[in-house]
Amino acid sequence: MTHRSAPHYRDGTAAGFKGNSAAARETGKEAANSVTETLGRRHRQMMEAWAPYGTHGATPEEVAGDLGLPVHVVRPRAGELVKRGMMFEVGKRPGLLGCRVMAYSIVKPSAASEAP
């Protein structure tokens, strides 16, 4: 098994990017690199923000409101922390726009609560 020293999106240790054109992909790559530089601080901030919600967890919209940040800053950090095994999906709930969105917790659900 090889050890990766560089941060990578698939590991949740780097921000991702996408785009439909070469210019958009390049701009996205530059923005993702900038976000990756502050990812450790953001991940700590997200863990602290989700902590008060305990096992029930919260949606990214709730945490974004608590922190005064746009949800598009919070939601990707939750996905990265899930990939890293530091945050866990606890089920979908109605979001602010009425659609069901995933809620997350920093507390790993017990096997009993995961059973259908």
Side-chain angles (χ1 to χ4, degrees):
M1 182 169 121
T2 55
H3 181 274
R4 285 193 216 300
S5 59
H8 199 283
Y9 174 73
R10 94 176 110 247
D11 303 325
T13 56
F17 64 93
K18 58 185 174 182
N20 293 327
S21 69
R25 283 189 297 279
E26 186 58 33
T27 301
K29 182 177 181 179
E30 290 173 15
N33 288 338
S34 176
V35 169
T36 297
E37 291 177 13
T38 63
L39 212 48
R41 180 180 58 80
R42 274 292 186 211
H43 283 176
R44 285 189 300 278
Q45 180 186 31
M46 293 300 115
M47 296 295 288
E48 291 169 5
W50 254 280
Y53 289 95
T55 57
H56 180 69
T59 64
E61 288 88 346
E62 291 170 312
V63 170
D66 293 347
L67 295 174
L69 292 172
V71 72
H72 71 267
V73 171
V74 175
R75 188 178 306 282
R77 305 301 74 89
E80 292 157 2
L81 289 165
V82 167
K83 287 179 183 180
R84 294 181 66 192
M86 299 170 70
M87 191 176 291
F88 308 93
E89 294 178 342
V90 294
K92 289 194 173 191
R93 301 190 191 138
L96 296 178
L97 299 176
C99 298
R100 293 178 56 80
V101 296
M102 185 58 67
Y104 303 91
S105 173
I106 65 168
V107 180
K108 186 174 184 173
S110 67
S113 66
E114 291 176 3

